[in-house]
Amino acid sequence: MNDSLHAMNWDELVARLGSEEELTRSAREAGALLRKRQVSSATILLRLCFAYVLGRFSLRTLAAWAEQRGLASMSDVAMLRRLKASADWVGDLVSDLLAERCPEALAGSSGGLRIMAVDATVVAPPGPKRAYWMVHTVFDLSRLRLCSVDVTDRHDAERLSRGVVQAGELRIADRAHARADDLARVVEAGGAFLVRAPSTHPRLLDGEGRLLDRLALCREAGEKGVLDRPVRVQDRKSKVEVAARVVILPLPPEAAAKARRAARRLAAKAGYEPSEAGIEMAGCLVLLTSLPSDGWPPERLASTYRLRWQVELAFKRMKSLVGLEDLRAKDPNLARLWINTALLAALLTEDDLPALGPEAPDSLPLAA
């Protein structure tokens, strides 16, 4: 490790996560340390994960660094296998820390549903062309663990049905995921959805198949304090429809004004003039859900939707603290290892730990 760790040795860092025996047991249970032929302990394996992510090492450089330090002797191919096999284990360590520090993420009953927060973020991996990637994630808020990662080019659409949708899941996501055909796929798989609706799509139909005016619905919600109505959500092109409820809650005046300012800024950044209707509707929280009204009143839906902020804030922390922009892995398991390790580092950083970047082996570059 570099000079930034002189004030704290590796044993002190590991002690934040558990004893050697506890880490070894959890690594074995997760399938990360079934054999000790090349990596002799769980703490060494964890150190390799940190070095790969926070040191911005290539696999070849990581293997050379581990050899020079006397930590492990293996090829870059063997190192790749070890890292990929460690994704679930590091995810378990993250889950344990989150359960201790973020109990509010699990506040309230989910009615027996597994709450899955679906999100995506744009990253620009290093390189001369700076080709942007999309990192699509599914985070299980019921167990506080990342369960699916897809790394694609930025043209691959955000989808609520990323990963494998299972019966008994409640998938929550932002406006970008409110597509009728994708909502229908979630329901067909036995799941439920709760998404925020944009001001212009998807199409909302009443029981007679007539197109509903969103602005009129928002104004009605303003008069009544809340609006909760059954609708059919329709895809404009395919005409696929799915039954849902539209739930509209006007924001408090100060929050509404802030949301409208943000909408204007976003429009200016994107280079278009926002409509007056769009600005007015920005003062409302508009949700679409397949959950029944019995047991899921509007206030509960709103509080459940806010849980997705746990994932969005985690990505913001990773970008600022440990450089999510440096993600280099497109393999799903290696990408999960990378993100789980970055999350773990971000959580440890919140404990005022120093930077965790190891130095490169002598005479070897840090290039990926």
Side-chain angles (χ1 to χ4, degrees):
M1 291 288 174
N2 63 12
D3 291 341
S4 62
L5 277 184
H6 284 174
M8 173 176 286
N9 63 36
W10 180 248
D11 290 337
E12 289 180 66
L13 172 63
V14 171
R16 301 291 185 96
L17 302 172
S19 67
E20 175 67 48
E21 293 75 17
E22 291 169 333
L23 289 172
T24 297
R25 181 172 60 254
S26 64
R28 285 176 175 167
E29 290 173 352
L33 196 66
L34 298 179
R35 294 185 298 174
K36 294 185 176 181
R37 187 176 62 184
Q38 294 171 316
V39 179
S40 61
S41 72
T43 53
I44 288 177
L45 181 58
L46 185 61
R47 194 170 181 179
L48 293 175
C49 294
F50 275 136
Y52 174 64
V53 174
L54 302 177
R56 280 66 165 171
F57 287 164
S58 69
L59 292 169
R60 180 175 61 84
T61 303
L62 178 61
W65 178 81
E67 180 84 39
Q68 186 184 68
R69 291 282 164 171
L71 299 174
S73 179
M74 66 179 79
S75 67
D76 55 349
V77 175
M79 186 69 74
L80 173 63
R81 288 197 296 267
R82 282 287 187 173
L83 293 176
K84 289 168 62 174
S86 301
D88 285 339
W89 174 52
V90 178
D92 289 341
L93 297 178
V94 171
S95 299
D96 291 343
L97 286 183
L98 284 173
E100 293 174 6
R101 305 175 197 194
C102 305
E104 69 276 8
L106 298 178
S109 170
S110 62
L113 297 172
R114 288 177 59 201
I115 303 180
M116 317 294 283
V118 183
D119 203 4
T121 190
V122 177
V123 300
K129 295 184 179 180
R130 301 291 287 177
Y132 290 90
W133 291 353
M134 290 289 291
V135 181
H136 308 267
T137 62
V138 181
F139 192 89
D140 186 344
L141 284 165
S142 302
R143 296 185 296 163
L144 293 174
R145 65 177 300 157
L146 187 69
C147 58
S148 174
V149 175
D150 282 335
V151 182
T152 70
D153 65 47
R154 67 179 307 175
H155 302 294
D156 197 352
E158 298 173 61
R159 292 188 288 105
L160 192 66
S161 57
R162 286 276 172 188
V164 178
V165 181
Q166 298 180 348
E169 288 184 358
L170 170 59
R171 295 207 159 201
I172 59 178
D174 62 12
R175 298 179 181 92
H177 298 81
R179 294 183 171 87
D181 52 352
D182 202 28
L183 301 181
R185 280 192 286 270
V186 170
V187 173
E188 288 168 4
F193 61 80
L194 173 60
V195 297
R196 191 167 186 176
S199 61
T200 58
H201 69 275
R203 291 160 60 89
L204 303 182
L205 310 178
D206 65 13
E208 304 300 321
R210 294 173 299 213
L211 184 64
L212 292 169
D213 184 327
R214 255 187 183 73
L215 180 56
L217 294 177
C218 288
R219 288 174 174 172
E220 183 180 346
E223 295 171 359
K224 296 179 177 179
V226 64
L227 182 139
D228 186 349
R229 178 174 297 182
V231 294
R232 301 288 300 180
V233 184
Q234 184 189 70
D235 180 76
R236 187 185 299 272
K237 293 183 178 179
S238 68
K239 304 304 181 185
V240 168
E241 294 184 11
V242 60
R245 293 160 57 201
V246 60
V247 175
I248 303 178
L249 299 98
L251 300 175
E254 184 176 343
K258 182 178 179 181
R260 289 174 178 132
R261 288 195 299 270
R264 289 191 176 94
R265 285 196 303 269
L266 183 62
K269 185 177 180 180
Y272 69 90
E273 183 68 27
S275 69
E276 288 304 315
I279 295 300
E280 183 176 343
M281 285 186 283
C284 291
L285 175 64
V286 182
L287 299 173
L288 294 173
T289 185
S290 59
L291 293 167
S293 55
D294 183 18
W296 289 93
E299 295 75 14
R300 186 181 181 192
L301 292 174
S303 62
T304 301
Y305 176 76
R306 283 193 292 270
L307 292 177
R308 62 169 293 277
W309 278 98
Q310 297 295 328
V311 178
E312 187 156 326
L313 290 175
F315 275 113
K316 290 181 184 297
R317 285 199 299 270
M318 282 193 291
K319 281 188 172 183
S320 62
L321 296 175
V322 293
L324 181 61
E325 295 287 347
D326 292 317
L327 174 65
R328 303 181 303 280
K330 294 198 76 171
D331 176 273
N333 288 325
L334 193 59
R336 279 198 305 121
L337 179 278
W338 206 103
I339 293 175
N340 278 331
T341 303
L343 270 172
L344 185 60
L347 288 167
L348 292 173
T349 302
E350 290 177 346
D351 280 347
D352 296 322
L353 290 178
L356 300 174
E359 76 278 20
D362 295 340
S363 76
L364 284 177
L366 280 172

